Structure formats: C-alpha cells, structure tokens
C-alpha cells in the first residue's frame, strides 16, 4: 500500500444541511462528500467551523435523521487517521457525545480557540457570540444554551421540538440575509472583533464562518481575517499548506 503524506489543514463551515428542502440538501451533501473524497490523501486535519447542520439537537439515545453520506465519509476519514474538530455553530450547538464516540470527532463549544500551525497563530471558531458585550445576543445565547433549557428541551416530545426548531432555524437564516448585504470592514462584527483582539494578542490568521460571506481581509502588516463562507452558495474552503493560507472554491477552480 502506498504511504500517503498528509500535511494540509482545511477549514470549512456552514453547510446548513437540511435546508431549503431534501433534494437541494442532498445535492449539497453529495458535493461536500466529493470534496472530502478529493482531500482524503492530503488532509491531516479538518476544522468544521459550525452550522454544518441547519438544526442539530441531540438526545440521549437519538440523533436527527439523515446526513448518512456525510457522516459515513467523516467516519472514513477519521478511521484513516485524519483529525477532525467540529466547532458548534448557532444552528448545531446542541451536540452531546455522538460525534466524539461514533466518529472520533472532537466537539468544541467555545466561541473561538487559538491554534498554532507551523509557528503561525490562528484564531478559529464559528463566528457567533464573539463580542461578549453584545447583550442581546448574550441573552438569546443564554436562553438556548444553558443547562436547564437544554434539559427542558430534551424532555419535550422529539417531534414537537424538531418541528418548532426547524421553523426557528429557517427564520434565523432569513434574518441573516438582511445583514449579509452590509458593507464589510467597520460594519462587519467579526472584522471589528478581530481588530480588537489584535490590540492585545498576536494572531496571524482569523478564520471564521457564520456570516455566509467569503472574504480575505488584511488587518495589519501580517494578520488576515478569512471568512470561508457557506456551502449553500459559495462552496469555499481555506487550506493551510504549511506555508500559506489559501481560500479556494470547490469544483469551480
Ligand atoms: Mn451561524
């Protein structure tokens, strides 16, 4: 058997599997699987930066239906030694231990984390809840993510919560659309956050999702803010090849 040399690190986000309907979601899922197949001999690490599912609420004994092609491919990758980390987004925050136990994928619930690759410092995460002074967001965040709410939801009938949850999730995406049209930079919350972090921290690359906008913005003489966009429209990803971080588009390169 040929020895494969895996040395690239990939970042991707916002697949939003499950919407807008089964057909479109399945098509997207197959495309993502083709992408994962294309990098399987090259990737040493994959960071999934959240909102992979449009709604994921995991119960003690039950997980949402569907997505078996993606789950199977992720299992194949980790079985073959590719490391995968999953940063929960605002749509798929309610993970328990299914991904860790079944797929050997590490789950992160923190809003961001600093990782070091080849001496470069990356701050990565989904991209929501970064600004701790945003009280409106913090309140909503608290309502849905605290232990008691999660326990309460898990005791509600599954069918009831999943249908309420799905319609909430659709609304949340619609509200996204309106703000996605704003100018980047000073009006872009993640950009503002990155600038603030740079006042205190030494970071080379900020990599986030959540905004459904692909961007690669220079922040100072070395730091960049990269948003990998979504797979509903953009199908982009960022690749670290040990020297540089490149943003690429799958099947349109
Ligand atoms: Mn999001």
């Amino acid at each position: 058997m040929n020895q494969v040399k895996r040395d690239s690190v990939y970042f991707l986000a916002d697949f939003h599997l499950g919407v807008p309907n089964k057909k479109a979601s399945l098509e997207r899922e197959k495309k993502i699987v083709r992408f994962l197949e294309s990098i399987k001999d090259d990737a040493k690490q994959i960071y999934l930066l959240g909102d992979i599912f449009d709604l994921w609420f995991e119960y003690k004994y039950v997980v949402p239906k569907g997505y078996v092609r993606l789950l199977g491919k992720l299992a194949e990758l980790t079985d073959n030694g590719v490391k995968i980390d999953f940063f929960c987004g605002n749509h798929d925050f309610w993970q328990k231990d299914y991904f860790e136990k079944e797929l050997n994928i590490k789950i992160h619930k923190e809003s961001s984390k600093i990782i070091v690759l080849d001496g470069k410092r990356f701050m990565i995460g989904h991209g929501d809840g970064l600004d701790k002074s945003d009280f409106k967001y913090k309140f909503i965040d608290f309502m849905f993510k605290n232990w008691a709410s999660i326990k309460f939801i898990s005791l509600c009938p599954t069918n009831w919560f999943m249908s309420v949850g799905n319609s909430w999730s659709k609304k949340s995406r619609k509200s996204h659309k309106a703000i996605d049209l704003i100018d980047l930079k000073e009006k872009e919350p993640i950009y503002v956050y990155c600038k603030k972090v740079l006042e205190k921290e030494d970071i080379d690359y900020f990599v986030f999702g959540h905004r459904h906008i692909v961007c690669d913005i220079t922040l100072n003489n070395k730091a960049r803010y990269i948003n990998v966009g979504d797979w509903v429209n953009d199908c982009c990803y960022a690749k670290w090849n040990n020297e540089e971080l490149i943003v690429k588009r799958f099947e349109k390169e």
Side-chain angles (χ1 to χ4, degrees):
M1 209 177 110
N2 282 347
Q3 191 69 33
V4 285
K5 189 178 174 293
R6 300 196 186 95
D7 53 9
S8 297
V9 180
Y10 290 86
F11 304 88
L12 47 168
D14 291 271
F15 302 163
H16 282 271
L17 290 177
V19 293
N21 54 54
K22 198 158 174 40
K23 186 171 175 276
S25 173
L26 183 59
E27 226 167 84
R28 192 180 323 132
E29 183 180 354
K30 287 180 178 172
K31 187 171 186 175
I32 294 157
V33 168
R34 286 200 297 281
F35 169 73
L36 294 171
E37 172 66 23
S38 77
I39 65 166
K40 70 174 186 185
D41 294 331
D42 170 46
K44 71 170 174 195
Q45 168 89 55
I46 299 170
Y47 287 100
L48 299 173
L49 299 180
D51 287 1
I52 297 307
F53 307 99
D54 200 62
L55 178 65
W56 184 278
F57 191 96
E58 193 175 317
Y59 294 81
K60 191 170 177 191
Y61 300 109
V62 177
V63 296
K65 269 187 179 179
Y67 323 119
V68 291
R69 291 163 185 83
L70 174 66
L71 299 179
K73 182 51 81 178
L74 293 173
E76 184 194 320
L77 292 174
T78 57
D79 285 350
N80 287 322
V82 181
K83 278 186 161 176
I84 306 182
D85 285 50
F86 187 134
F87 282 76
C88 299
N90 48 318
H91 286 252
D92 51 14
F93 180 81
W94 302 276
Q95 298 268 358
K96 279 183 180 287
D97 56 5
Y98 181 65
F99 273 64
E100 298 198 329
K101 288 195 169 150
E102 184 68 24
L103 305 172
N104 199 16
I105 290 176
K106 188 164 171 40
I107 292 293
H108 298 267
K109 298 222 166 173
E110 62 269 43
S111 54
S112 67
K113 184 181 165 73
I114 294 173
I115 57 166
V116 180
L117 300 173
D118 303 293
K120 300 287 182 192
R121 287 166 62 80
F122 289 67
M123 181 179 273
I124 64 172
H126 178 56
D128 69 316
L130 293 168
D131 182 1
K132 303 293 179 216
S133 61
D134 181 346
F135 288 106
K136 190 181 156 209
Y137 193 91
K138 255 176 96 176
F139 177 71
I140 297 170
D141 207 53
F142 173 76
M143 288 303 288
F144 287 101
K145 293 182 182 173
N146 76 77
W147 178 87
S149 303
I150 292 173
K151 186 77 193 164
F152 172 75
I153 294 168
S154 71
L155 294 173
C156 291
T158 321
N159 290 353
W160 178 81
F161 177 71
M162 289 307 280
S163 66
V164 171
N166 275 319
S167 65
W168 160 79
S169 177
K170 274 185 192 127
K171 265 194 206 122
S172 160
R173 261 179 315 105
K174 274 181 193 153
S175 71
H176 257 296
K177 273 286 162 235
I179 51 168
D180 283 351
L181 302 172
I182 61 164
D183 289 337
L184 292 174
K185 298 210 168 169
E186 268 68 26
K187 287 181 193 165
E188 154 62 15
I190 300 180
Y191 172 88
V192 174
Y193 175 76
C194 297
K195 288 291 241 188
K196 213 154 99 184
V197 170
L198 285 173
E199 289 168 13
K200 288 182 270 173
E201 291 255 19
D202 179 27
I203 304 285
D204 297 281
Y205 302 99
F206 294 86
V207 187
F208 292 107
H210 183 55
R211 299 289 286 113
H212 299 237
I213 299 169
V214 182
C215 67
D216 183 350
I217 301 172
T218 303
L219 298 163
N220 62 21
N221 56 1
K222 65 164 194 161
R224 279 155 60 194
Y225 158 40
I226 283 111
N227 199 303
V228 290
D230 65 34
W231 279 65
V232 181
N233 300 303
D234 310 312
C235 305
C236 286
Y237 60 94
K239 175 183 179 178
W240 173 253
N241 64 8
N242 302 316
E243 283 175 5
E244 52 175 345
L245 189 66
I246 313 160
V247 181
K248 292 178 118 182
R249 197 175 293 271
F250 180 59
E251 290 185 346
K252 279 187 192 167
E253 293 159 51

